[in-house]
Amino acid sequence: MAARALLGVIKKRAVSCPAFRGHYTFRHGSTLVVAEHEGGVIKPPSLSALAAATCLPDTDSSVSVLLAGSGPSLHQAASHAASSYPSISKVLVADSDKFKDPLAEPWAKLVHLVQQSGGYSHIFAAANSFGKNIMPRAAALLDVSPITDVTGISDSNTFVRPIYAGNALCTVRYTGASPCILTIRSTSFPALQKSVDSNEASISQVDLSTLDEDLGRSAYISQSSQDDERPDLGNARIVVTGGRALKSAENFKLIEALAEKLGAAVGATRAAVDAGYVPNELQVGQTGKIVAPELYMAFGVSGAIQHLAGMRDSKVIVAVNNDADAPIFQVADYGLVGDLFEVIPELLEKLPEKK
Amino acid sequence: MKIMVAVKRVVDYAVKIRVKPDKTGVVTQNVKMSMNPFCEIALEEALRIRESGLASEVVAVSIGPSQCVDTLRTGLAMGANRGIHVESTASLFPLSVAKIFRKLVEIEKPDLLILGKQAIDDDCNQTGQMVAGLLNWPQGTFASKVVLDKEKGVATVDREVDDGIETVRLNLPAVITTDLRLNQPRYATLPNIMKAKSKPIKKFTPEELNVEIKSDLEIVEVTEPPKRKAGVIVSSVDELIDKLKNEANVI
């Protein structure tokens, strides 16, 4: 019963996990976080997965981080991780060309291998395109059910995740063998912060000698991405989104100009992406990115269920639409019924310069 | 070449779902059900591959209660050659579904397995990756473009990833999961709906396939998400800026 009561509290307070540490002592084991790195540091979504891993209610638990790849950037990331985050007790490094690219086949094998030697109770990763691609495959190799897109941790085996495009929250209990494999919704767990007063974590190399199996059935060819200077959509403090009503890629520049002025990231609805106004990686929604910025401004967005799924946890939502009946107004904190082609220029003129 | 496609019956994407008062799940009785949108895209892709002459047969598979036959009929009306229904009333998580698919792949020996990237009810995004893992086949998830080279036995897949588009090459047999932009699924025409009625649907049970349905997951409860407090409609840009600055303190 106590657990149930606690569960209720957690739900009300969303995820304020540190307060609950120590309430549970029944879990003995350690946790692995499968992390991505770039430029010698752990990527923000993986830092959120790390933060989630530290939320497991067990004071004895230790958190290991698995970093893989090749070259100096990998080792730089490993030593940075070891020295910057006190909650990391061990950094595992898998150095091989096989992990140069985020291909699911070698990575899932790697997770399988590391689990076999480490016997972790939990394995975490971010619920981004990397984690969603790799972790279910690794789970199948380990014959366990993974849990996708976790937004809340109630206890070591009980987790909350949204279903039906976020229109219901499902509390699910894992009853299987170790490991419990989870991918974490980054917006629900603020990224782990660096700390200066850190005791150095140990760094060890993963023994890859048994990884010689045939992994050559897939190959990485190329990656094309929009290199832009705006903040990353997943982590931005402000997001400005345009929908179908922008009517063209040319008009979408209005959204970009407003984002520029606010120091915001640009988002889009499926309609805007399908119409070719902007590239796919800007899509916000059930099947695109999930964002939860402090301010979300939606222009010409009707507010379909699938779009709301990606932004309903934003702190403040502003909607500008000429249709007063658009569903977006039901979730907006501030709504303005009007023509976005008049409103945006006026906003551009009247908004204060960004600090 | 044979292509197997997974199709799931889910609550229609346009339905506003209701959580059951006893918190055991979501109301599905008397609610419109349809083929999962990502599965439609998977089937469409398989049909296009067949129409381009690269495949000879498309087999649609659905796993679940008896009503899944309706979903299969829809798939047959779109153009699948035949259907397979694995009937189970148990609640199935992706691990069980993946194990059933592994068995069906052993029986049917397809060269390509295409699934949607996620079902819009459980939003798991796991099944394709898990089947690929169980079969030790390469996987091309979140596909927005698929190019098959039958001679070389490879599929080149453009994948929608967080940073843009990534291209991978898979040796067949392989598993592909579809993203929304892969194609625009066709509608079934009335003559094809009629024709679909005479297309064969083979039945299996998990027991016949030697798959034990056990689960390591338990639904504790399903609840409604917290409601947002009602907002206000402002009358001008000035008022909006004022509210954002002085009331919400976000700019």
Side-chain angles (χ1 to χ4, degrees), chain B residues 18-190:
Chain B
R18 282 180 302 128
V19 170
K20 287 185 192 165
D22 66 1
K23 298 185 178 178
T24 55
V26 163
V27 178
T28 53
Q29 265 189 334
N30 300 320
V31 169
K32 187 185 176 199
M33 306 290 280
S34 306
M35 188 188 290
N36 180 44
F38 290 97
C39 302
E40 286 185 347
I41 295 168
L43 182 53
E44 175 66 32
E45 193 65 16
L47 297 173
R48 288 185 189 190
I49 293 171
R50 190 189 64 195
E51 283 159 4
S52 71
L54 291 168
S56 51
E57 193 181 32
V58 173
V59 183
V61 178
S62 194
I63 304 169
S66 56
Q67 299 95 319
C68 289
V69 169
D70 302 340
T71 310
L72 280 173
R73 290 279 171 220
T74 306
L76 297 173
M78 281 173 71
N81 298 74
R82 57 190 174 88
I84 294 177
H85 176 214
V86 180
E87 186 157 5
S88 169
T89 49
S91 64
L92 295 168
F93 291 100
L95 182 59
S96 301
V97 174
K99 286 179 176 175
I100 291 171
F101 269 104
R102 173 174 57 182
K103 287 288 177 182
L104 292 175
V105 163
E106 283 167 13
I107 294 168
E108 292 282 341
K109 303 197 167 37
D111 303 278
L112 192 58
L113 181 55
I114 312 183
L115 305 88
K117 79 163 178 181
Q118 77 191 66
I120 59 163
D121 51 0
D122 61 23
D123 282 332
C124 278
N125 197 331
Q126 298 170 349
T127 307
Q129 295 89 312
M130 297 186 84
V131 191
L134 293 176
L135 291 166
N136 197 24
W137 285 9
Q139 70 189 48
T141 51
F142 327 145
S144 61
K145 189 180 170 197
V146 175
V147 178
L148 276 184
D149 186 332
K150 211 175 160 187
E151 307 281 286
K152 290 189 183 131
V154 295
T156 306
V157 178
D158 283 3
R159 307 180 52 231
E160 294 204 3
V161 294
D162 291 339
D163 306 330
I165 302 283
E166 180 185 292
T167 307
V168 294
R169 192 178 57 226
L170 315 172
N171 288 1
L172 299 180
V175 174
I176 290 172
T177 75
T178 61
D179 216 317
L180 282 172
R181 268 164 289 276
L182 182 57
N183 60 46
Q184 188 67 48
R186 69 194 66 187
Y187 289 103
T189 58
L190 188 59

Side-chain angles (χ1 to χ4, degrees), chain A residues 135-164:
Chain A
M135 299 311 279
R137 187 177 177 107
L141 299 181
L142 292 159
D143 195 23
V144 299
S145 283
I147 305 172
T148 299
D149 225 3
V150 169
T151 57
I153 296 175
S154 306
D155 65 48
S156 332
N157 299 309
T158 315
F159 309 96
V160 181
R161 59 180 300 268
I163 54 173
Y164 288 92

